[in-house]
């Protein structure tokens, strides 16, 4: 990450990296109709919530769970055509990429206990599932608003968790590289 890069440029680079990854390495999902893609993401979020609850019993899951949650949240933002910088309320160019780490910790960490974080995660998981279900029923419901808010909050919470033990960009890139390596067309 360049020290001259704005947080907005950095977050857009992360979203673009995720979009390219999804289109190349998860073609079967990228080609689904949007409601089905969002439902697929809701299933991922539910899975990661279950993993987060088990962290105390299986601590080796913790880091991967939060990285996976961030990745899927960014994918949801891309599906919904929403910029993380907008969902997080960051003015374009107002924050440098180098300052993003402390900004994320201030906004999304704020000293919450593990149980408080899990309750927040549970509510966002519920909102994501609820919106996905309402799409099936074609109910009057602001699904795009709810899913966008959930994706933005999940990305922020997971970014704060990732940063407790390392660099956000490095953790995401490393996880995506591991997924890429499973593809028959991957070249290192």
């Amino acid at each position: 990450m360049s020290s001259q890069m704005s947080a907005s440029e950095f977050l857009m680079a992360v979203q673009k990296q995720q979009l390219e990854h999804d289109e190349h390495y998860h073609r079967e999902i990228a080609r689904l109709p949007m409601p089905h893609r969002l439902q697929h993401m809701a299933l991922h979020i539910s899975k990661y919530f279950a993993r987060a609850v088990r962290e105390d019993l299986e601590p080796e899951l913790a880091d991967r769970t939060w990285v996976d949650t961030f990745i899927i949240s960014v994918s949801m933002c891309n599906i919904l055509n929403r910029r993380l910088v907008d969902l997080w309320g960051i003015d374009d160019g107002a924050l440098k990429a180098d300052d993003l780490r402390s900004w994320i910790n201030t906004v999304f960490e704020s000293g919450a206990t593990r149980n408080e974080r899990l309750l927040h995660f549970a509510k966002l998981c519920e909102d994501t599932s609820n919106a996905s279900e309402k799409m099936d029923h074609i109910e009057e419901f602001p699904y795009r608003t709810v899913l966008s808010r959930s994706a933005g909050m999940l990305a922020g919470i997971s970014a704060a968790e990732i940063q407790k033990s390392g660099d956000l960009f490095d953790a995401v890139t490393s996880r995506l590289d591991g997924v890429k390596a499973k593809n028959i067309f991957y070249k290192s």
Side-chain angles (χ1 to χ4, degrees), residues 24-25 180-181 183-188:
H24 190 79
Y25 294 101
K180 290 176 189 178
N183 187 288
I184 62 171
F185 298 109
Y186 176 72
K187 292 182 184 177
S188 57

Side-chain angles (χ1 to χ4, degrees), residues 114-153:
R114 180 177 185 278
N115 284 345
E116 289 168 337
R117 284 192 309 276
L118 286 177
L119 284 173
H120 195 191
F121 196 166
K123 176 62 175 141
L124 294 167
C125 182
E126 177 185 15
D127 290 350
T128 301
S129 297
N130 189 36
S132 296
E133 179 187 16
K134 291 191 182 295
M135 278 191 288
D136 277 347
H137 295 290
I138 314 172
E139 294 181 32
E140 291 287 333
F141 187 80
Y143 73 90
R144 186 172 189 269
T145 302
V146 170
L147 289 171
S148 296
R149 184 182 55 77
S150 293
M153 290 300 296

Side-chain angles (χ1 to χ4, degrees), residues 2-157:
S2 165
S3 62
Q4 300 303 315
M5 184 181 278
S6 72
S8 178
E9 292 168 327
F10 171 74
L11 290 171
M12 282 308 300
V14 168
Q15 284 191 248
K16 187 171 193 262
Q17 174 187 8
Q18 187 61 49
L19 177 67
E20 290 169 355
H21 172 88
D22 289 345
E23 289 180 349
H24 190 79
Y25 294 101
H26 302 287
R27 290 183 307 274
E28 72 285 2
I29 303 306
R31 286 170 176 72
L32 290 172
M34 186 180 67
H36 295 141
R37 288 168 60 197
L38 290 167
Q39 289 167 349
H40 182 81
M41 299 302 144
L43 291 171
H44 274 283
I45 296 300
S46 295
K47 176 174 68 174
Y48 304 146
F49 173 69
R51 272 200 225 151
V53 170
R54 295 190 340 253
E55 277 181 7
D56 286 344
L57 301 173
E58 301 173 67
E60 70 279 0
L61 291 176
D63 289 342
R64 192 177 91 201
T65 295
W66 293 113
V67 172
D68 288 348
T69 301
F70 181 82
I71 288 169
I72 292 299
S73 299
V74 171
S75 288
M76 285 176 65
C77 291
N78 288 344
I79 293 166
L80 293 161
N81 197 35
R82 298 297 306 266
R83 297 181 335 149
L84 266 177
V85 69
D86 295 333
L87 294 172
W88 287 356
I90 299 172
D91 292 330
D92 280 337
L95 183 68
K96 292 291 182 199
D98 288 346
D99 299 325
L100 188 59
R101 179 185 189 93
S102 62
W103 184 90
I104 287 170
N105 288 338
T106 300
V107 173
F108 293 105
E109 176 52 29
S110 68
T113 66
R114 180 177 185 278
N115 284 345
E116 289 168 337
R117 284 192 309 276
L118 286 177
L119 284 173
H120 195 191
F121 196 166
K123 176 62 175 141
L124 294 167
C125 182
E126 177 185 15
D127 290 350
T128 301
S129 297
N130 189 36
S132 296
E133 179 187 16
K134 291 191 182 295
M135 278 191 288
D136 277 347
H137 295 290
I138 314 172
E139 294 181 32
E140 291 287 333
F141 187 80
Y143 73 90
R144 186 172 189 269
T145 302
V146 170
L147 289 171
S148 296
R149 184 182 55 77
S150 293
M153 290 300 296
L154 286 165
I157 291 166

